[in-house]
Amino acid sequence: MKRLIFSSLLVATCAHATEPTLREQFTAIREAKASRTPIERKLDSELLLLCRESCGEVPMPGAPHLRARLRPKADGCVTVDLKVKPSAELRAAIEQMGGEVVYESVNFDSVRASVPPAALLRLASRPGIKRVSRGFKPTAHTGSVTSEGDKAHRADVARVDFGVDGTGVKVGVISDSADFS
């Protein structure tokens, strides 16, 4: 029995010893980022990991447990935002890759598309594409919210002085705080 426990402990210790340390993993990640090709640099890190996973590659050599948190939708595609001038050629290329254009804006040089993860590097390699980012969903927060801004803008004083509380007033806020250019 003692021999079996010792053998199991030895196997577990040896298996653990082959795992890279946290410091080694950080070093590997830093080196991998520094060695990215110009095309890989166009992709968000999360998209690059997902692309590698979907192509059957190790997402991050040297950090074996690192995986993309982003998952494809039920149709197998991911939503991406492209920094590029929209064009018919780009639309056709996205469709040929098995994706679809969701929205395009000539004024803002942007295209939102849904594409298979395995096609992300091919998409990033197209001429004119400056950046491929995750397509973030807008968030909507509704209801009464009291924050530091209430005090900073003296809204608490205004409510008392003017006898108002905002009941019946609809407010919409659009923020440009998520600039990924």
Side-chain angles (χ1 to χ4, degrees), residues 136-147:
F136 286 97
K137 293 180 183 174
T139 55
H141 302 286
T142 60
S144 178
V145 178
T146 303
S147 68

Side-chain angles (χ1 to χ4, degrees):
M1 182 67 170
K2 286 182 182 181
R3 186 174 282 168
L4 178 63
I5 292 172
F6 178 74
S7 298
S8 298
L9 184 60
L10 183 62
V11 169
T13 303
C14 290
H16 183 66
T18 62
E19 291 285 319
T21 66
L22 191 57
R23 182 182 306 265
E24 291 169 336
Q25 290 180 59
F26 277 128
T27 301
I29 291 168
R30 198 174 323 112
E31 289 171 357
K33 281 189 163 200
S35 68
R36 286 185 184 169
T37 67
I39 291 170
E40 290 174 333
R41 286 188 196 122
K42 293 181 184 182
L43 288 170
D44 277 357
S45 294
E46 194 74 17
L47 290 174
L48 183 57
L49 290 175
L50 183 61
C51 180
R52 287 177 178 164
E53 281 179 29
S54 65
C55 292
E57 300 173 21
V58 174
M60 183 64 65
H65 301 293
L66 185 62
R67 298 284 181 260
R69 290 172 294 178
L70 180 64
R71 293 284 131 218
K73 299 177 294 193
D75 65 357
C77 293
V78 291
T79 302
V80 294
D81 289 328
L82 310 173
K83 187 69 176 165
V84 63
K85 281 201 177 301
S87 68
E89 295 84 24
L90 178 62
R91 180 181 283 274
I94 289 171
E95 290 171 358
Q96 185 179 15
M97 292 176 196
E100 70 172 323
V101 172
V102 177
Y103 176 80
E104 47 189 28
S105 170
V106 176
N107 292 339
F108 295 106
D109 289 344
S110 70
V111 172
R112 176 164 277 205
S114 182
V115 295
L120 288 168
L121 278 173
R122 262 189 305 149
L123 182 60
S125 70
R126 293 201 44 85
I129 292 185
K130 295 178 182 97
R131 184 88 180 126
V132 182
S133 306
R134 289 175 60 175
F136 286 97
K137 293 180 183 174
T139 55
H141 302 286
T142 60
S144 178
V145 178
T146 303
S147 68
E148 300 91 31
D150 190 62
K151 184 81 170 159
H153 293 285
R154 299 186 49 162
D156 54 344
V157 174
R159 281 194 298 276
V160 172
D161 288 351
F162 298 107
V164 295
D165 65 3
T167 301
V169 176
K170 292 187 182 198
V171 177
V173 178
I174 298 175
S175 171
D176 66 350
S177 63
D179 180 16
F180 299 102
S181 58

